[in-house]
Amino acid sequence: MARKILVVEDEALIADAVAARLRSEGYEVQLAADGPAGVEHARRWEPDLVILDLMLPGLDGLEVCRLIQRERHLPVLMLTARDDETDLVIGLAVGADDYLTKPFSMRELVARVQALFRRIEAVAGVAASRALTLDDGIEIDIDARRVRQRGEIVHLTPTEFDLLVRLAEKPGRILTREKLLVDVWGYRDGSGARTVDSHVRALRRKLGDGVVRTVHGVGYGLGEADDADSAPTPSPSQ
Ligand code: CA
């Protein structure tokens, strides 16, 4: 069955071009032209992914994102008009999974959509135990996409969650920014190291400074330093 993508965009030219291209790639697409219609469509149609413009009539993209993710995690690719809007959205830790700044090419859009679907599958396929336990009393429930620290739920954005899972899968292993960009964001071109850094900062803010280790000039890791070639040994929870 074709994957369903909801496009919430008030500029008809962009919406139609995006829809046409995604349909030609085999996706099923529906359009919504304002915020309230986007929320309503997401509820009724249950898409697999939402492409969401930030500046919308009715409700803006931030509010739409919050509303559609209230009940379950729904992957969101946010469209922003300028780079500083992207920074703002990342700063607000809105639950978008990825961002694309206008103007973008249809090729770039398709690449991001495919990357998001790959990433969702990769995270879903992690850890047979479906749960990971880390130092500092951190427990990750993969299926529920929930993180607790000493019993308390910690609210992570979808990207922060996926980044934490990717690091937690291989405790002691250092992952380079480039590797994380491919694994977590699905980027293949190696750009976006800044994106990794800002999400690591967010994880430290929420879970404590000691949670993610920086190895200068190399990348990030969790837990004690380890031989880079040793097998990953995630510890399953009881
Ligand atoms: Ca708009």
Side-chain angles (χ1 to χ4, degrees), residues 9-11 53-57 102:
E9 166 64 83
D10 58 314
E11 289 165 72
D53 187 31
L54 178 62
M55 301 303 280
L56 286 168
K102 296 175 180 178

Side-chain angles (χ1 to χ4, degrees), residues 180-213:
L180 287 167
L181 278 168
V182 172
D183 288 355
V184 177
W185 281 264
Y187 294 176
R188 303 270 177 214
D189 62 3
S191 65
R194 197 175 60 117
T195 306
V196 180
D197 295 343
S198 68
H199 285 86
V200 165
R201 273 199 300 279
L203 280 181
R204 285 179 175 149
R205 202 167 57 236
K206 293 178 180 181
L207 296 169
D209 281 343
V211 167
V212 183
R213 213 151 43 83

Side-chain angles (χ1 to χ4, degrees), residues 9-196:
E9 166 64 83
D10 58 314
E11 289 165 72
L13 278 178
I14 296 179
D16 290 343
V18 166
R21 180 58 187 262
L22 291 174
R23 285 181 183 128
S24 80
E25 298 286 333
Y27 297 108
E28 205 181 318
V29 181
Q30 285 199 7
L31 299 177
D34 61 44
V39 173
E40 178 60 23
H41 264 69
R43 229 168 247 156
R44 254 185 318 110
W45 192 47
E46 299 190 337
D48 300 300
L49 184 142
V50 179
I51 295 174
L52 179 59
D53 187 31
L54 178 62
M55 301 303 280
L56 286 168
L59 288 170
D60 69 21
L62 303 183
E63 200 52 39
V64 172
C65 193
R66 273 186 210 109
L67 288 169
I68 64 178
Q69 294 199 328
R70 207 159 46 181
E71 279 143 47
R72 66 186 178 107
H73 172 250
L74 181 56
V76 170
L77 172 61
M78 189 81 87
L79 304 180
T80 60
R82 302 184 309 270
D83 277 331
D84 55 344
E85 280 185 5
T86 305
D87 289 343
L88 175 77
V89 173
I90 292 174
L92 289 172
V94 173
D97 296 77
D98 202 2
Y99 312 87
L100 197 51
T101 306
K102 296 175 180 178
F104 50 83
S105 70
M106 289 301 144
R107 203 175 138 191
E108 175 70 4
L109 178 88
V110 169
R112 294 295 184 92
V113 165
Q114 290 170 341
L116 261 180
F117 279 128
R118 274 199 305 273
R119 166 175 151 192
I120 292 156
E121 280 162 13
V123 170
V126 150
S129 68
R130 317 307 299 163
L132 296 167
T133 306
L134 309 177
D135 293 344
D136 297 326
I138 299 167
E139 292 169 64
I140 308 173
D141 180 338
I142 309 267
D143 284 334
R145 295 185 63 88
R146 189 174 293 147
V147 174
R148 287 174 192 273
Q149 189 166 29
R150 297 176 199 97
E152 298 284 314
I153 288 183
V154 180
H155 294 282
L156 300 183
T157 67
T159 307
E160 289 159 11
F161 180 86
D162 291 345
L163 176 62
L164 182 66
V165 168
R166 191 52 65 183
L167 289 165
E169 266 186 296
K170 299 175 177 178
R173 178 84 65 97
I174 302 304
L175 296 169
T176 63
R177 289 183 180 84
E178 291 71 25
K179 173 80 175 139
L180 287 167
L181 278 168
V182 172
D183 288 355
V184 177
W185 281 264
Y187 294 176
R188 303 270 177 214
D189 62 3
S191 65
R194 197 175 60 117
T195 306
V196 180

